[in-house]
CSV table of all heavy atoms in Angstrom, one decimal:
chain,number,residue,atom,x,y,z
A,56,GLY,N,-7.9,19.1,-14.9
A,56,GLY,CA,-8.6,17.8,-14.6
A,56,GLY,C,-7.6,16.7,-14.2
A,56,GLY,O,-8.0,15.8,-13.4
A,57,ILE,N,-6.5,16.6,-14.9
A,57,ILE,CA,-5.6,15.5,-14.7
A,57,ILE,C,-5.0,15.6,-13.2
A,57,ILE,O,-5.0,14.6,-12.6
A,57,ILE,CB,-4.4,15.5,-15.5
A,57,ILE,CG1,-4.9,15.2,-17.1
A,57,ILE,CG2,-3.2,14.7,-15.2
A,57,ILE,CD1,-3.8,15.4,-18.2
A,58,VAL,N,-4.7,16.8,-12.8
A,58,VAL,CA,-4.4,17.1,-11.5
A,58,VAL,C,-5.4,16.8,-10.4
A,58,VAL,O,-5.1,16.0,-9.4
A,58,VAL,CB,-3.9,18.5,-11.2
A,58,VAL,CG1,-3.6,18.9,-9.7
A,58,VAL,CG2,-2.5,18.7,-12.0
A,59,SER,N,-6.6,17.1,-10.6
A,59,SER,CA,-7.8,16.9,-9.9
A,59,SER,C,-8.1,15.3,-9.6
A,59,SER,O,-8.2,14.9,-8.5
A,59,SER,CB,-9.0,17.6,-10.3
A,59,SER,OG,-8.9,19.0,-10.2
A,60,ASN,N,-8.0,14.7,-10.8
A,60,ASN,CA,-8.2,13.2,-10.7
A,60,ASN,C,-7.2,12.5,-9.9
A,60,ASN,O,-7.5,11.6,-9.0
A,60,ASN,CB,-8.3,12.6,-12.2
A,60,ASN,CG,-9.5,13.1,-12.9
A,60,ASN,OD1,-10.6,13.4,-12.3
A,60,ASN,ND2,-9.6,13.0,-14.2
A,61,ALA,N,-6.0,12.9,-10.1
A,61,ALA,CA,-4.9,12.2,-9.4
A,61,ALA,C,-4.9,12.5,-7.9
A,61,ALA,O,-4.6,11.7,-7.0
A,61,ALA,CB,-3.4,12.8,-10.0
A,62,ALA,N,-5.3,13.8,-7.5
A,62,ALA,CA,-5.5,14.2,-6.1
A,62,ALA,C,-6.6,13.3,-5.4
A,62,ALA,O,-6.4,13.0,-4.4
A,62,ALA,CB,-5.8,15.7,-6.1
A,63,GLN,N,-7.7,13.1,-6.2
A,63,GLN,CA,-8.7,12.3,-5.6
A,63,GLN,C,-8.2,10.9,-5.4
A,63,GLN,O,-8.5,10.4,-4.4
A,63,GLN,CB,-10.0,12.3,-6.6
A,63,GLN,CG,-10.6,13.6,-6.6
A,63,GLN,CD,-11.7,13.8,-7.7
A,63,GLN,OE1,-12.0,12.8,-8.4
A,63,GLN,NE2,-12.2,14.9,-7.9
A,64,VAL,N,-7.5,10.4,-6.3
A,64,VAL,CA,-7.0,8.9,-6.2
A,64,VAL,C,-6.0,9.0,-4.9
A,64,VAL,O,-6.1,8.1,-4.1
A,64,VAL,CB,-6.2,8.6,-7.3
A,64,VAL,CG1,-5.5,7.2,-7.2
A,64,VAL,CG2,-7.2,8.3,-8.6
A,65,LEU,N,-5.1,9.9,-4.8
A,65,LEU,CA,-4.2,10.0,-3.8
A,65,LEU,C,-4.9,10.1,-2.5
A,65,LEU,O,-4.6,9.4,-1.5
A,65,LEU,CB,-3.2,11.2,-3.8
A,65,LEU,CG,-2.5,11.6,-2.7
A,65,LEU,CD1,-1.4,10.5,-2.4
A,65,LEU,CD2,-1.7,12.9,-2.9
A,66,SER,N,-5.9,10.9,-2.3
A,66,SER,CA,-6.7,11.1,-1.1
A,66,SER,C,-7.4,9.7,-0.7
A,66,SER,O,-7.2,9.3,0.4
A,66,SER,CB,-7.8,12.2,-1.3
A,66,SER,OG,-8.5,12.2,-0.1
A,67,ASN,N,-8.0,9.1,-1.6
A,67,ASN,CA,-8.6,7.8,-1.4
A,67,ASN,C,-7.6,6.7,-1.0
A,67,ASN,O,-7.9,6.0,0.1
A,67,ASN,CB,-9.4,7.4,-2.5
A,67,ASN,CG,-10.7,8.2,-2.9
A,67,ASN,OD1,-11.1,8.9,-2.0
A,67,ASN,ND2,-11.0,8.3,-4.1
A,68,VAL,N,-6.4,6.7,-1.6
A,68,VAL,CA,-5.5,5.7,-1.3
A,68,VAL,C,-4.9,6.0,0.1
A,68,VAL,O,-4.7,5.1,1.0
A,68,VAL,CB,-4.4,5.5,-2.3
A,68,VAL,CG1,-3.2,4.8,-1.9
A,68,VAL,CG2,-4.9,5.2,-3.6
A,69,ALA,N,-4.7,7.2,0.4
A,69,ALA,CA,-4.1,7.5,1.7
A,69,ALA,C,-5.1,7.2,2.8
A,69,ALA,O,-4.7,6.7,4.0
A,69,ALA,CB,-3.7,9.2,1.7
A,70,LYS,N,-6.3,7.5,2.7
A,70,LYS,CA,-7.4,7.3,3.6
A,70,LYS,C,-7.4,5.7,3.9
A,70,LYS,O,-7.5,5.2,5.0
A,70,LYS,CB,-8.7,7.8,3.2
A,70,LYS,CG,-8.8,9.4,3.3
A,70,LYS,CD,-10.0,9.8,2.7
A,70,LYS,CE,-10.1,11.3,2.6
A,70,LYS,NZ,-11.3,11.8,1.9
A,71,SER,N,-7.4,4.9,2.8
A,71,SER,CA,-7.4,3.5,2.8
A,71,SER,C,-6.1,3.0,3.6
A,71,SER,O,-6.2,2.1,4.4
A,71,SER,CB,-7.4,2.9,1.5
A,71,SER,OG,-7.4,1.5,1.5
A,72,LEU,N,-5.0,3.5,3.3
A,72,LEU,CA,-3.8,3.2,4.1
A,72,LEU,C,-3.9,3.5,5.6
A,72,LEU,O,-3.6,2.6,6.4
A,72,LEU,CB,-2.5,4.1,3.6
A,72,LEU,CG,-1.3,3.9,4.3
A,72,LEU,CD1,-0.6,2.6,3.8
A,72,LEU,CD2,-0.3,5.0,3.9
A,73,ALA,N,-4.4,4.7,5.9
A,73,ALA,CA,-4.6,5.0,7.3
A,73,ALA,C,-5.6,3.9,8.0
A,73,ALA,O,-5.2,3.5,9.2
A,73,ALA,CB,-5.3,6.3,7.3
A,74,GLU,N,-6.7,3.5,7.2
A,74,GLU,CA,-7.6,2.7,8.0
A,74,GLU,C,-7.3,1.2,8.0
A,74,GLU,O,-7.7,0.4,8.9
A,74,GLU,CB,-9.0,2.8,7.1
A,74,GLU,CG,-9.7,4.1,7.2
A,74,GLU,CD,-10.3,4.4,8.6
A,74,GLU,OE1,-10.2,3.6,9.4
A,74,GLU,OE2,-10.8,5.6,8.8
A,75,THR,N,-6.2,0.7,7.1
A,75,THR,CA,-5.7,-0.5,7.2
A,75,THR,C,-4.4,-0.8,7.9
A,75,THR,O,-4.4,-1.5,8.9
A,75,THR,CB,-5.6,-1.0,5.7
A,75,THR,OG1,-4.8,-0.2,5.0
A,75,THR,CG2,-7.0,-1.2,5.0
A,76,GLU,N,-3.5,0.0,7.4
A,76,GLU,CA,-2.1,-0.2,8.1
A,76,GLU,C,-1.9,0.4,9.5
A,76,GLU,O,-1.0,0.0,10.2
A,76,GLU,CB,-1.1,0.5,7.2
A,76,GLU,CG,-1.0,-0.2,5.8
A,76,GLU,CD,-0.4,-1.7,5.8
A,76,GLU,OE1,0.3,-1.9,6.7
A,76,GLU,OE2,-0.9,-2.4,5.1
A,77,TYR,N,-2.7,1.4,9.7
A,77,TYR,CA,-2.5,2.1,10.9
A,77,TYR,C,-3.8,2.3,11.9
A,77,TYR,O,-3.9,3.1,12.7
A,77,TYR,CB,-2.0,3.6,10.7
A,77,TYR,CG,-0.7,3.6,9.9
A,77,TYR,CD1,-0.7,3.8,8.6
A,77,TYR,CD2,0.4,3.5,10.6
A,77,TYR,CE1,0.5,3.7,7.9
A,77,TYR,CE2,1.7,3.5,10.0
A,77,TYR,CZ,1.7,3.6,8.6
A,77,TYR,OH,3.0,3.6,8.0
A,78,ARG,N,-4.8,1.3,11.6
A,78,ARG,CA,-6.0,1.3,12.3
A,78,ARG,C,-5.7,1.1,13.9
A,78,ARG,O,-6.6,1.6,14.6
A,78,ARG,CB,-7.0,0.2,11.8
A,78,ARG,CG,-6.3,-1.3,12.0
A,78,ARG,CD,-7.2,-2.3,11.4
A,78,ARG,NE,-6.9,-3.6,11.6
A,78,ARG,CZ,-6.0,-4.1,10.7
A,78,ARG,NH1,-5.5,-3.6,9.7
A,78,ARG,NH2,-5.6,-5.4,11.0
A,79,GLU,N,-4.7,0.5,14.3
A,79,GLU,CA,-4.3,0.4,15.7
A,79,GLU,C,-3.5,1.5,16.2
A,79,GLU,O,-3.2,1.5,17.4
A,79,GLU,CB,-3.6,-1.0,15.9
A,79,GLU,CG,-4.4,-2.1,15.6
A,79,GLU,CD,-3.7,-3.5,15.9
A,79,GLU,OE1,-2.6,-3.5,16.3
A,79,GLU,OE2,-4.2,-4.5,15.5
A,80,TYR,N,-3.3,2.5,15.5
A,80,TYR,CA,-2.4,3.7,15.9
A,80,TYR,C,-3.3,4.9,15.5
A,80,TYR,O,-3.1,5.5,14.5
A,80,TYR,CB,-1.1,3.6,15.1
A,80,TYR,CG,-0.2,2.4,15.4
A,80,TYR,CD1,-0.4,1.2,14.7
A,80,TYR,CD2,0.6,2.3,16.5
A,80,TYR,CE1,0.4,0.1,15.0
A,80,TYR,CE2,1.4,1.2,16.8
A,80,TYR,CZ,1.2,0.1,16.0
A,80,TYR,OH,2.0,-1.0,16.3
A,81,GLU,N,-4.2,5.2,16.5
A,81,GLU,CA,-5.1,6.3,16.2
A,81,GLU,C,-4.4,7.6,15.9
A,81,GLU,O,-4.9,8.4,14.9
A,81,GLU,CB,-6.0,6.5,17.4
A,81,GLU,CG,-6.9,5.4,17.6
A,81,GLU,CD,-8.0,5.5,16.5
A,81,GLU,OE1,-8.4,6.5,16.1
A,81,GLU,OE2,-8.4,4.3,16.2
A,82,ASN,N,-3.4,8.0,16.5
A,82,ASN,CA,-2.7,9.3,16.3
A,82,ASN,C,-2.2,9.3,14.9
A,82,ASN,O,-2.4,10.3,14.0
A,82,ASN,CB,-1.7,9.7,17.3
A,82,ASN,CG,-2.2,9.9,18.7
A,82,ASN,OD1,-3.3,10.4,18.8
A,82,ASN,ND2,-1.3,9.7,19.7
A,83,ILE,N,-1.5,8.4,14.4
A,83,ILE,CA,-1.1,8.3,13.2
A,83,ILE,C,-2.1,8.2,12.0
A,83,ILE,O,-2.1,8.9,11.0
A,83,ILE,CB,0.0,7.1,12.9
A,83,ILE,CG1,1.0,7.1,14.1
A,83,ILE,CG2,0.6,7.0,11.6
A,83,ILE,CD1,1.9,5.8,14.0
A,84,LYS,N,-3.1,7.4,12.3
A,84,LYS,CA,-4.2,7.4,11.5
A,84,LYS,C,-4.9,8.7,11.2
A,84,LYS,O,-5.2,9.1,10.0
A,84,LYS,CB,-5.3,6.3,11.9
A,84,LYS,CG,-6.4,6.1,11.0
A,84,LYS,CD,-7.4,5.0,11.5
A,84,LYS,CE,-8.4,5.8,12.6
A,84,LYS,NZ,-9.4,4.9,13.0
A,85,HIS,N,-5.1,9.4,12.1
A,85,HIS,CA,-5.8,10.7,12.2
A,85,HIS,C,-4.9,11.8,11.4
A,85,HIS,O,-5.4,12.6,10.6
A,85,HIS,CB,-6.1,11.2,13.4
A,85,HIS,CG,-7.4,10.6,14.2
A,85,HIS,ND1,-8.4,10.2,13.4
A,85,HIS,CD2,-7.4,10.0,15.4
A,85,HIS,CE1,-9.2,9.4,14.3
A,85,HIS,NE2,-8.7,9.5,15.4
A,86,LYS,N,-3.6,11.7,11.6
A,86,LYS,CA,-2.7,12.5,10.8
A,86,LYS,C,-2.9,12.4,9.4
A,86,LYS,O,-2.9,13.2,8.6
A,86,LYS,CB,-1.2,12.4,11.2
A,86,LYS,CG,-0.9,12.9,12.6
A,86,LYS,CD,0.6,12.7,12.9
A,86,LYS,CE,0.9,13.2,14.3
A,86,LYS,NZ,2.5,13.0,14.5
A,87,ILE,N,-2.7,11.0,8.9
A,87,ILE,CA,-2.9,10.7,7.4
A,87,ILE,C,-4.3,11.1,6.9
A,87,ILE,O,-4.3,11.8,5.9
A,87,ILE,CB,-2.7,9.2,7.2
A,87,ILE,CG1,-1.2,8.9,7.7
A,87,ILE,CG2,-2.9,8.8,5.8
A,87,ILE,CD1,-1.0,7.3,7.6
A,88,ILE,N,-5.3,10.9,7.6
A,88,ILE,CA,-6.6,11.3,7.1
A,88,ILE,C,-6.8,12.8,7.1
A,88,ILE,O,-7.4,13.3,6.0
A,88,ILE,CB,-7.7,10.7,8.0
A,88,ILE,CG1,-7.8,9.1,7.9
A,88,ILE,CG2,-9.1,11.2,7.7
A,88,ILE,CD1,-8.8,8.4,8.9
A,89,ALA,N,-6.2,13.5,8.0
A,89,ALA,CA,-6.2,14.9,8.1
A,89,ALA,C,-5.5,15.5,6.8
A,89,ALA,O,-5.9,16.4,6.2
A,89,ALA,CB,-5.6,15.5,9.4
A,90,GLY,N,-4.3,14.9,6.5
A,90,GLY,CA,-3.5,15.3,5.3
A,90,GLY,C,-4.4,15.0,4.1
A,90,GLY,O,-4.3,15.8,3.2
A,91,ALA,N,-5.0,13.9,4.0
A,91,ALA,CA,-5.8,13.6,2.8
A,91,ALA,C,-6.9,14.6,2.6
A,91,ALA,O,-7.3,15.0,1.5
A,91,ALA,CB,-6.3,12.0,2.9
A,92,VAL,N,-7.6,14.9,3.8
A,92,VAL,CA,-8.8,15.9,3.7
A,92,VAL,C,-8.2,17.3,3.2
A,92,VAL,O,-8.9,17.9,2.4
A,92,VAL,CB,-9.4,16.0,5.2
A,92,VAL,CG1,-10.4,17.2,5.1
A,92,VAL,CG2,-10.1,14.7,5.5
A,93,ASN,N,-7.0,17.6,3.6
A,93,ASN,CA,-6.5,18.9,3.0
A,93,ASN,C,-6.2,18.8,1.6
A,93,ASN,O,-6.3,19.8,0.9
A,93,ASN,CB,-5.2,19.2,3.9
A,93,ASN,CG,-5.5,19.7,5.3
A,93,ASN,OD1,-6.4,20.3,5.5
A,93,ASN,ND2,-4.4,19.6,6.1
A,94,VAL,N,-5.9,17.6,1.1
A,94,VAL,CA,-5.6,17.5,-0.3
A,94,VAL,C,-7.1,17.7,-1.0
A,94,VAL,O,-7.1,18.3,-2.1
A,94,VAL,CB,-5.1,16.1,-0.7
A,94,VAL,CG1,-5.1,15.7,-2.2
A,94,VAL,CG2,-3.5,16.0,-0.2
A,95,ASP,N,-7.9,17.1,-0.4
A,95,ASP,CA,-9.4,17.1,-1.0
A,95,ASP,C,-9.8,18.6,-1.1
A,95,ASP,O,-10.4,19.1,-2.0
A,95,ASP,CB,-10.5,16.5,0.0
A,95,ASP,CG,-10.3,15.0,-0.1
A,95,ASP,OD1,-9.8,14.5,-1.2
A,95,ASP,OD2,-10.7,14.3,0.9
A,96,ARG,N,-9.4,19.4,0.0
A,96,ARG,CA,-9.8,20.8,0.1
A,96,ARG,C,-9.0,21.6,-0.9
A,96,ARG,O,-9.6,22.4,-1.6
A,96,ARG,CB,-9.5,21.4,1.4
A,96,ARG,CG,-9.7,23.0,1.6
A,96,ARG,CD,-9.2,23.5,2.9
A,96,ARG,NE,-7.8,23.1,3.1
A,96,ARG,CZ,-6.9,23.9,2.3
A,96,ARG,NH1,-7.2,24.7,1.5
A,96,ARG,NH2,-5.6,23.5,2.6
A,97,ALA,N,-7.8,21.3,-1.1
A,97,ALA,CA,-7.0,22.0,-2.1
A,97,ALA,C,-7.5,21.7,-3.6
A,97,ALA,O,-7.5,22.5,-4.5
A,97,ALA,CB,-5.6,21.6,-2.1
A,98,GLU,N,-7.9,20.4,-3.8
A,98,GLU,CA,-8.4,20.0,-5.1
A,98,GLU,C,-9.7,20.8,-5.5
A,98,GLU,O,-10.0,21.3,-6.5
A,98,GLU,CB,-8.7,18.6,-5.1
A,98,GLU,CG,-9.0,18.0,-6.5
A,98,GLU,CD,-10.6,18.0,-6.7
A,98,GLU,OE1,-11.4,17.9,-5.7
A,98,GLU,OE2,-11.0,18.1,-7.8
A,99,ALA,N,-10.5,20.9,-4.4
A,99,ALA,CA,-11.9,21.7,-4.6
A,99,ALA,C,-11.5,23.1,-4.9
A,99,ALA,O,-12.2,23.8,-5.8
A,99,ALA,CB,-12.7,21.5,-3.4
A,100,GLN,N,-10.6,23.6,-4.2
A,100,GLN,CA,-10.2,25.1,-4.4
A,100,GLN,C,-9.7,25.2,-5.9
A,100,GLN,O,-9.9,26.3,-6.6
A,100,GLN,CB,-9.2,25.5,-3.5
A,100,GLN,CG,-8.7,27.0,-3.6
A,100,GLN,CD,-9.9,27.9,-3.5
A,100,GLN,OE1,-10.8,27.8,-2.6
A,100,GLN,NE2,-10.0,28.9,-4.4
A,101,LEU,N,-8.9,24.3,-6.3
A,101,LEU,CA,-8.2,24.3,-7.7
A,101,LEU,C,-9.5,24.4,-8.7
A,101,LEU,O,-9.4,25.2,-9.7
A,101,LEU,CB,-7.4,23.0,-7.9
A,101,LEU,CG,-6.7,22.9,-9.3
A,101,LEU,CD1,-5.7,24.1,-9.6
A,101,LEU,CD2,-6.0,21.6,-9.3
A,102,GLN,N,-10.5,23.4,-8.6
A,102,GLN,CA,-11.5,23.5,-9.5
A,102,GLN,C,-12.4,24.7,-9.4
A,102,GLN,O,-12.7,25.4,-10.5
A,102,GLN,CB,-12.5,22.2,-9.2
A,102,GLN,CG,-11.9,20.9,-9.5
A,102,GLN,CD,-11.9,20.7,-11.1
A,102,GLN,OE1,-12.5,21.5,-11.9
A,102,GLN,NE2,-11.2,19.7,-11.6
A,103,SER,N,-12.6,25.3,-8.3
A,103,SER,CA,-13.3,26.5,-8.1
A,103,SER,C,-12.5,27.7,-8.7
A,103,SER,O,-13.1,28.5,-9.4
A,103,SER,CB,-13.4,26.9,-6.7
A,103,SER,OG,-14.1,28.1,-6.4
A,104,SER,N,-11.2,27.7,-8.6
A,104,SER,CA,-10.3,28.8,-9.2
A,104,SER,C,-10.4,28.7,-10.6
A,104,SER,O,-10.4,29.8,-11.5
A,104,SER,CB,-8.9,28.6,-8.6
A,104,SER,OG,-8.9,28.9,-7.3
A,105,LEU,N,-10.4,27.5,-11.2
A,105,LEU,CA,-10.5,27.3,-12.7
A,105,LEU,C,-11.8,27.9,-13.2
A,105,LEU,O,-11.9,28.6,-14.2
A,105,LEU,CB,-10.5,25.9,-13.1
A,105,LEU,CG,-10.6,25.6,-14.7
A,105,LEU,CD1,-9.6,26.3,-15.5
A,105,LEU,CD2,-10.7,24.1,-14.8
A,106,GLN,N,-12.9,27.6,-12.6
A,106,GLN,CA,-14.2,28.1,-12.9
A,106,GLN,C,-14.3,29.6,-12.9
A,106,GLN,O,-14.9,30.3,-13.7
A,106,GLN,CB,-15.3,27.5,-12.1
A,106,GLN,CG,-15.4,25.9,-12.4
A,106,GLN,CD,-15.6,25.5,-13.7
A,106,GLN,OE1,-16.4,26.2,-14.4
A,106,GLN,NE2,-14.9,24.4,-14.2
A,107,GLU,N,-13.7,30.2,-11.9
A,107,GLU,CA,-13.8,31.6,-11.7
A,107,GLU,C,-13.0,32.2,-12.7
A,107,GLU,O,-13.3,33.3,-13.3
A,107,GLU,CB,-13.1,32.0,-10.4
A,107,GLU,CG,-13.2,33.4,-10.1
A,107,GLU,CD,-12.6,33.9,-8.6
A,107,GLU,OE1,-12.5,32.9,-7.8
A,107,GLU,OE2,-12.4,34.9,-8.3
A,108,LEU,N,-11.8,31.7,-13.1
A,108,LEU,CA,-10.9,32.2,-14.2
A,108,LEU,C,-11.8,32.2,-15.5
A,108,LEU,O,-11.8,33.2,-16.3
A,108,LEU,CB,-9.7,31.5,-14.4
A,108,LEU,CG,-8.8,31.7,-15.6
A,108,LEU,CD1,-8.3,33.2,-15.5
A,108,LEU,CD2,-7.8,30.9,-15.6
A,109,MET,N,-12.4,31.1,-15.8
A,109,MET,CA,-13.1,31.0,-17.0
A,109,MET,C,-14.3,31.9,-17.1
A,109,MET,O,-14.7,32.3,-18.2
A,109,MET,CB,-13.7,29.5,-17.2
A,109,MET,CG,-12.5,28.5,-17.1
A,109,MET,SD,-11.3,28.5,-18.5
A,109,MET,CE,-12.3,27.8,-19.8
A,110,ALA,N,-14.9,32.3,-15.9
A,110,ALA,CA,-16.1,33.1,-16.0
A,110,ALA,C,-15.9,34.7,-15.9
A,110,ALA,O,-16.6,35.4,-16.3
A,110,ALA,CB,-17.0,32.7,-14.9
A,111,THR,N,-14.7,35.0,-15.1
A,111,THR,CA,-14.5,36.4,-14.7
A,111,THR,C,-14.0,37.3,-15.8
A,111,THR,O,-13.1,36.8,-16.6
A,111,THR,CB,-13.6,36.6,-13.5
A,111,THR,OG1,-13.4,37.9,-13.0
A,111,THR,CG2,-12.2,36.0,-13.9
A,112,PRO,N,-14.4,38.5,-16.0
A,112,PRO,CA,-13.8,39.4,-16.9
A,112,PRO,C,-12.5,39.8,-16.5
A,112,PRO,O,-11.8,40.4,-17.3
A,112,PRO,CB,-14.9,40.6,-17.0
A,112,PRO,CG,-15.6,40.5,-15.7
A,112,PRO,CD,-15.7,39.2,-15.3
A,113,ASP,N,-12.2,39.8,-15.2
A,113,ASP,CA,-10.9,40.1,-14.7
A,113,ASP,C,-9.9,39.0,-14.8
A,113,ASP,O,-9.7,38.3,-13.8
A,113,ASP,CB,-11.0,40.7,-13.2
A,113,ASP,CG,-9.8,41.3,-12.7
A,113,ASP,OD1,-8.8,41.3,-13.4
A,113,ASP,OD2,-9.8,41.9,-11.6
A,114,ARG,N,-9.3,38.9,-15.9
A,114,ARG,CA,-8.4,37.6,-16.1
A,114,ARG,C,-7.3,37.6,-15.2
A,114,ARG,O,-6.8,36.7,-14.7
A,114,ARG,CB,-7.9,37.6,-17.5
A,114,ARG,CG,-9.0,37.0,-18.5
A,114,ARG,CD,-8.4,36.3,-19.7
A,114,ARG,NE,-7.4,37.2,-20.4
A,114,ARG,CZ,-7.7,37.9,-21.5
A,114,ARG,NH1,-9.1,38.0,-21.9
A,114,ARG,NH2,-6.8,38.6,-22.0
A,115,ALA,N,-6.7,38.8,-14.9
A,115,ALA,CA,-5.6,39.0,-14.0
A,115,ALA,C,-5.8,38.4,-12.6
A,115,ALA,O,-5.0,37.6,-12.1
A,115,ALA,CB,-4.9,40.4,-14.0
Side-chain angles (χ1 to χ4, degrees):
I57 291 172
V58 169
S59 291
N60 290 338
Q63 290 170 8
V64 171
L65 171 61
S66 174
N67 291 335
V68 171
K70 290 172 185 174
S71 178
L72 176 73
E74 294 291 354
T75 54
E76 297 294 322
Y77 298 97
R78 63 184 180 276
E79 296 180 2
Y80 299 86
E81 286 294 321
N82 289 338
I83 304 174
K84 183 178 79 171
H85 289 318
K86 282 182 184 179
I87 296 174
I88 291 175
V92 168
N93 285 338
V94 169
D95 291 337
R96 178 189 55 75
E98 186 273 328
Q100 182 59 45
L101 181 63
Q102 286 289 346
S103 175
S104 296
L105 173 64
Q106 295 306 316
E107 184 176 345
L108 170 63
M109 303 296 284
T111 182
D113 187 353
R114 282 208 306 269

